Amino acid sequence: MKTEDRKAALSAYKERKTIAGLYALCCTSTGQRWIGRAPDVETIENRIRFALRLGTTPHRDLQAAIRTHGEAAFTFESVERLDEKDMELGRDRILKTRQAHWCEQLQAKAI
């Protein structure tokens, strides 16, 4: 990739609009679920999977499940996306509230 192309790609990435939201990781072998919140739901899957591969996630039960069942046994899905008006009301507070809602709704553990 040329330097100009790389700079243009980096600039476009920085200028893109981020979407806060909630996501779920599900173990297809056991049915266990974990619900997380992220300021950018579009990029969180790569970050989570990378940390799990390295064994650096602070979520010990999730890491243990990955070791037991393998990464292929886990699905990732975006559960909810917040829109711009939600951001005006306090993104972190709303993410925490919605995470608690989804944990209860899906009988999942918060991460």
Side-chain angles (χ1 to χ4, degrees):
M1 182 181 260
K2 294 182 182 179
T3 303
E4 298 85 31
D5 294 340
R6 188 173 301 155
K7 286 181 181 179
L10 182 59
S11 178
Y13 177 79
K14 287 180 179 180
E15 292 176 13
R16 73 179 179 75
K17 192 174 186 176
T18 61
I19 300 170
L22 296 117
Y23 61 91
L25 285 167
C26 180
C27 178
T28 57
S29 299
T30 64
Q32 287 177 286
R33 291 179 188 240
W34 292 265
I35 302 291
R37 59 184 191 266
D40 187 357
V41 79
E42 297 283 325
T43 61
I44 193 67
E45 181 178 8
N46 287 337
R47 195 172 325 144
I48 293 290
R49 289 195 185 271
F50 183 73
L52 288 168
R53 268 186 235 114
L54 290 179
T56 59
T57 183
H59 312 292
R60 290 188 174 139
D61 59 334
L62 176 57
Q63 187 70 59
I66 287 278
R67 273 192 228 113
T68 301
H69 303 288
E71 189 178 342
F74 284 78
T75 60
F76 178 93
E77 67 179 283
S78 176
V79 176
E80 182 176 357
R81 294 169 182 248
L82 300 179
D83 60 20
E84 295 257 348
K85 76 174 185 175
D86 291 331
M87 302 300 229
E88 296 168 6
L89 302 172
R91 178 184 70 191
D92 291 337
R93 183 178 54 81
I94 290 175
L95 282 171
K96 286 178 185 177
T97 302
R98 298 307 297 158
Q99 182 181 29
H101 163 80
W102 284 109
C103 284
E104 183 180 325
Q105 193 77 14
L106 298 175
Q107 299 177 348
K109 184 170 182 177
I111 57 171

